[in-house]
Structure formats: structure tokens, C-alpha cells
Amino acid sequence: MKIFLIGFMGSGKTYWGRQLSQKLSIPFFDLDEQVVSHAEKSIKDIFDQEGEEKFRLLEKDLLHIITESHDSFVMACGGGTPCYFNNIEYMNQAGTTVWVNTDMDILFERLRKEKAERPLIRDLSDDQLSSFITKKFSDRRLYYEQAAIKVGEEDVQIEKLVEEIFHV
Ligand code: S3P
């Protein structure tokens, strides 16, 4: 069983991914953490020193490596993962994708406090952050919508989610 949690930055993929992996007793991977440990530098440093394109390539390579070397896992993807290359088709073929669709107001409040670690938003004022979320979310929505399962973060109930995953 291979489960991929997708959704915007700050949507709670890592938190819910850990909960789900514990419930299912299968390993958990955070794709951002895997990229950082493979590159031996922070995401911010990868963006600054090597550019976003290099980050996207590394992200894709690690997505493939983990998916192909494990039979079962829950993976929290980065917010952009499903939107580059053919990653969303790849994940849909390899396993079950779940879109954690969190309200924009909640995203804004969370991201406002956690801007520093995220290269795409760290230099934005609050007003700019708000427009960024609206614009980026509308660009990315068509990728997130391709998930097999969609769940509002406020409705995530692990038992129900597990049931849905088994019935896809
Ligand atoms: C990104 C989201 C981040 C990380 C990188 C780019 C994006 O992951 O992969 O900063 O393009 O939305 P989180 O969604 O875990 O913050």
C-alpha cells in the first residue's frame, strides 16, 4: 500500500501523514526531509545555490526511488510535487493519492508564521503572501484535484480516511 498525501504548503500533510502511517503500521516518509538529507543542505540552500529546477529534479528522483524501493508507506509530498513532470500520474499509478485540502484562511495564518523556511514565500509581506496563496492555489488546483481521495483538513478522521483508502 503506497499512500501519497498532497496539498498546498501548510496544509498539514506531514502531521496527517504521520498519524496515518501509525494507524496503518507502515513507514512514513516526508519527501522534503528526504531531499534535504540526500542533498545534505536545506531546501532554502538548494533553491539559493542550485535553483528551483534542481530542487524539482531531486524531488522527482527521490519520489521515484522511495516509491520503487518500498512496498508500503505513507509519504507527505511537498506542496509542488504533484505539479511538476508527470508526478501526479506517476503517483496515481503507483498507489493512492490523498489531497489534504485546507482552507485558505488557515493556510495564510500558518504560512505567515512559518515563512522563513520556505523559499517561495520567505520574502513576501502579509499582503503579498495572501495574493500568492490565492494565485498559486488556483494554478495548482488542477493537479491537486487529480487525487483519488479529497479530504478537507477539518474533516480528517483517520478511521474514515483508512476506510476510504481501502475502498478506492
Ligand atoms: C514547496 C513546498 C514545500 C517545499 C518547497 C516548495 C512548494 O513543501 O517542497 O519549499 O512548491 O509548494 P511543504 O508543502 O511541505 O511546505
Side-chain angles (χ1 to χ4, degrees), residues 48-78:
D48 286 349
Q49 296 164 14
E50 301 177 57
E52 179 170 354
E53 205 177 315
K54 173 73 185 186
F55 171 80
R56 296 300 171 193
L57 282 167
L58 262 176
E59 182 181 46
K60 170 173 70 78
D61 287 350
L62 285 155
L63 170 67
H64 283 240
I65 290 168
I66 298 165
T67 303
E68 281 148 40
S69 59
H70 294 81
D71 287 334
S72 268
F73 57 81
V74 176
M75 182 189 292
C77 297

Side-chain angles (χ1 to χ4, degrees), residues 120-137:
L120 293 175
I121 58 172
R122 74 187 149 180
D123 298 324
L124 305 182
S125 67
D126 284 359
D127 280 353
Q128 288 169 327
L129 177 63
S130 174
S131 327
F132 172 90
I133 294 172
T134 311
K135 162 95 180 57
K136 210 46 157 193
F137 193 89

Side-chain angles (χ1 to χ4, degrees), residues 53-110:
E53 205 177 315
K54 173 73 185 186
F55 171 80
R56 296 300 171 193
L57 282 167
L58 262 176
E59 182 181 46
K60 170 173 70 78
D61 287 350
L62 285 155
L63 170 67
H64 283 240
I65 290 168
I66 298 165
T67 303
E68 281 148 40
S69 59
H70 294 81
D71 287 334
S72 268
F73 57 81
V74 176
M75 182 189 292
C77 297
T81 313
C83 317
Y84 291 86
F85 308 103
N86 67 340
N87 291 348
I88 186 66
E89 289 89 357
Y90 177 77
M91 292 189 278
N92 275 330
Q93 274 167 22
T96 306
T97 46
V98 179
W99 175 21
V100 183
N101 185 12
T102 301
D103 279 355
M104 289 213 217
D105 296 349
I106 299 175
L107 292 178
F108 175 71
E109 281 311 321
R110 283 192 193 149

